[in-house]
Amino acid sequence: MAAGHPHRLAFPALLLGNVALAFGPWLVRLADVGPVAIGFWRVTIALPFLFALAHLSGQRPHWPSRHVTVAILIAATFYVLDLAAWNAGILMTKLGNATLFGNTGSFVFAVYGLWLAHRRPSAQQAIALALAAGGAALLMGGSYELSPKNFAGDILTLVAGLLYGGYLIFVERARGSLKPLPLLLLATLFGMPMLLMISLGLGEQIWPSNWTPLIIFALSSQVLGQGLLVYSIGTFPPLVVGLALLTQPAISALIGWFAYREALTWTDAIGALGIAAALVIVRVPARGLRKPADTPS
């Protein structure tokens, strides 16, 4: 594959991954086990599917070098804490608040990308960041609410968003040396016992009576969503991935309208357009792609 010419479906794959991830909060609310147990089943159900996909795609699972393994273990720890905090927060605040605060990791990862490049954002990148931030704020403006009722959930989802930024950073570090499916498989494997121990320690209900939301959650968020996200981290720089993550609030607004009849307003439309414009700006003219030589294909 020539430098600067990734697969033509790479960017649609990034967006599709975010669509799958955007359904996560709704499925968390439909599950009938504890919030941390939801995360445990998410990774546990997904594990055999990830293993099968890795073999079918020729991405043979294997133990990487020590420093890569440590990076994945740290990423898994951030991910476990993110899932525990976010799933609990989703049940304690409005769906819009949870989605907005949970996506603060998008900005953490985007800023990390600029720091990694050892440069300040260009005028083009600064405009894209401003549009994305403004778009996300407008999109969730109708749902955004800081109140005593939602305060604990808001804090939990905000902390989860920051932890997710840490997860993305260490995945990016490991992705330069490892293909996406073996990386995600190891992170999932490391996360399973951590989530189970936390859930047991909190005395949560672990065994579900309704498996459907958990199975859909595992396949959509962990296999499809995280699989495509980890792949995209090896193809695009953090700025593009971080801004693409902000498409999730737009999709969440549509889910809220469909599932809970939450009203969509003109500010939602403007916010979605702002995020779309930001994605166009960061991809033109250089399209913000990594050189394929920097990452395993």
Side-chain angles (χ1 to χ4, degrees), residues 41-53 184-190 192 218 222-223:
W41 288 117
R42 167 178 171 162
V43 298
T44 301
I45 295 170
L47 190 64
F49 291 94
L50 292 172
F51 188 79
L53 284 174
L184 183 58
L185 189 63
L186 280 177
T188 301
L189 186 64
F190 289 152
M192 282 174 53
Q222 193 67 16
V223 177

Side-chain angles (χ1 to χ4, degrees), residues 23 27 36 44 61 75 91 97 110 117 136 147-148 162 191 201-202 204 221 229 234 243 248 251 254 267 280 289-290:
F23 280 85
L27 293 166
V36 182
T44 301
L91 303 178
N97 293 38
S147 68
L162 297 175
L202 293 174
E204 292 184 343
S221 288
L229 180 60
L243 293 182
Q248 291 182 41
I251 300 163
L254 291 175
T267 57
V280 171
L289 296 172
R290 294 175 180 270

Side-chain angles (χ1 to χ4, degrees), residues 1-36:
M1 187 181 296
H5 291 84
H7 195 283
R8 61 188 178 85
L9 296 179
F11 193 68
L14 172 59
L15 296 181
L16 176 60
N18 279 283
V19 170
L21 290 168
F23 280 85
W26 184 28
L27 293 166
V28 167
R29 287 196 172 183
L30 295 177
D32 59 1
V33 295
V36 182

Side-chain angles (χ1 to χ4, degrees), residues 191-265:
M192 282 174 53
M194 295 188 229
L195 286 163
L196 181 59
M197 288 174 60
I198 295 172
S199 182
L200 288 171
L202 293 174
E204 292 184 343
Q205 177 184 339
I206 295 178
W207 198 260
S209 58
N210 181 10
W211 286 95
T212 302
L214 293 172
I215 294 172
I216 296 174
F217 188 34
L219 296 180
S220 62
S221 288
Q222 193 67 16
V223 177
L224 182 61
Q226 284 296 320
L228 292 177
L229 180 60
V230 171
Y231 161 75
S232 300
I233 287 175
T235 304
F236 299 98
L239 179 64
V240 175
V241 176
L243 293 182
L245 287 168
L246 290 174
T247 59
Q248 291 182 41
I251 300 163
S252 180
L254 291 175
I255 296 171
W257 171 79
F258 175 79
Y260 304 109
R261 291 296 183 264
E262 295 175 353
L264 293 175
T265 67

